[in-house]
Amino acid sequence: MAASADVLESAVLSSAEEVVAQDGAAGLFPFNAQAKGVQNLMKRLKWLAKEHGGIGAEQSESLCLPDLVASAVDQDGTLDIKSANIGAEGAKALATVLTSSQSITALDLRSNSVGAEG
């Protein structure tokens, strides 16, 4: 049984690596990680992680998006992203994390030009 689980895991990993190689991870993530809005989101989350999570600049550079979001939430459960200029792409990136986040009780996205697309 363990052997077939290993084969399945290997096949899944190979498929994921192939999608990343062909699509530049577009098949795994429904947003453009290089978009200005996503970069602005990451910048704000790193700052918030430092303020609320006690995470240093070097450490925040190595955190993935879900970990940054978790570290950026304040003690009341608020994630304050207002006026960060995240746009539609930043909102899409944030949405991928919000669906599984249990720590966020309030989200402030005012003044971000998200629009209908985000």
Side-chain angles (χ1 to χ4, degrees):
M1 188 65 142
S4 57
D6 290 342
V7 170
L8 180 60
E9 181 181 1
S10 177
V12 169
L13 289 174
S14 293
S15 295
E17 289 169 357
E18 188 173 316
V19 167
V20 171
Q22 291 175 358
D23 297 338
L28 298 176
F29 305 108
F31 59 88
N32 176 0
Q34 300 304 314
K36 184 68 173 167
V38 176
Q39 298 300 314
N40 289 343
L41 172 65
M42 297 298 284
K43 183 177 177 180
R44 174 61 60 90
L45 289 172
K46 288 174 186 177
W47 181 83
L48 288 170
K50 180 181 172 192
E51 291 295 308
H52 301 303
I55 307 278
E58 276 186 35
Q59 186 180 6
S60 72
E61 290 298 322
S62 66
L63 293 176
C64 62
L65 184 57
D67 292 335
L68 268 175
V69 168
S71 297
V73 176
D74 71 14
Q75 64 186 12
D76 297 328
T78 300
L79 182 59
D80 183 359
I81 310 289
K82 72 177 171 277
S83 303
N85 197 26
I86 68 169
E89 285 298 315
K92 289 177 191 176
L94 186 58
T96 64
V97 177
L98 294 179
T99 58
S100 61
S101 175
Q102 307 259 326
S103 60
I104 300 172
T105 58
L107 176 63
D108 190 345
L109 285 174
R110 288 179 285 169
S111 302
N112 272 297
S113 303
V114 172
E117 187 181 330

